[in-house]
Amino acid sequence: MKLSEFYQQLKNETGLPSVYHHWTVGKAPALPYTVYYVVERKDMFADNEAFLKIYSMNIELYSDSKDEELEAKVESFLNGLGIVPYISEQYVDDEQMYETIYEFDLEMEN
């Protein structure tokens, strides 16, 4: 899988607006939406080349209230990829919204 394919599947399967890393100031859509990004890469090497690219990633789901149906959509998308994420959540006071964070590793194409 490539990052662009991940993005398309995330958008299509959740039905939510999504962007890599962050929305441009003033361009974020109305809630709910997702933001996804690569936290780090943990490539595996042999013979001086990467034979497996592993991306540690986050998907952040933002909503105006706790929404288990939206969370289930994101979790179903990830489970369909064989991923069981670590999930945490918090309320962002400054923005007055809920954030659910999905942390996981994803193997990418070379």
Side-chain angles (χ1 to χ4, degrees):
M1 174 176 285
K2 295 181 179 179
L3 208 51
S4 60
E5 294 168 337
F6 179 84
Y7 165 72
Q8 286 301 322
Q9 287 183 17
L10 175 62
K11 275 182 46 175
N12 293 341
E13 294 186 29
T14 64
L16 296 170
S18 186
V19 70
Y20 183 81
H21 203 275
H22 65 277
W23 296 97
T24 303
V25 175
K27 301 290 184 182
L31 296 172
Y33 58 77
T34 63
V35 174
Y36 73 100
Y37 54 93
V38 175
V39 177
E40 67 178 344
R41 281 181 48 179
K42 299 182 274 188
D43 296 351
M44 301 188 93
F45 288 87
D47 299 326
N48 293 324
E49 63 180 70
F51 69 90
L52 182 61
K53 293 180 181 179
I54 302 173
Y55 286 28
S56 293
M57 297 182 62
N58 284 2
I59 295 175
E60 298 175 353
L61 169 63
Y62 294 94
S63 57
D64 57 3
S65 63
K66 171 97 172 135
D67 192 323
E68 293 179 16
E69 287 182 28
L70 288 176
E71 292 171 9
K73 285 182 180 183
V74 175
E75 290 169 33
S76 176
F77 162 68
L78 291 170
N79 292 162
L81 296 174
I83 296 169
V84 179
Y86 173 78
I87 303 169
S88 60
E89 61 182 55
Q90 64 183 353
Y91 184 74
V92 183
D93 285 323
D94 294 348
E95 302 292 333
Q96 297 183 336
M97 64 176 130
Y98 288 85
E99 176 186 30
T100 305
I101 305 167
Y102 303 85
E103 300 175 47
F104 55 94
D105 288 342
L106 183 64
E107 292 180 13
M108 294 294 206
E109 290 181 10
N110 277 343

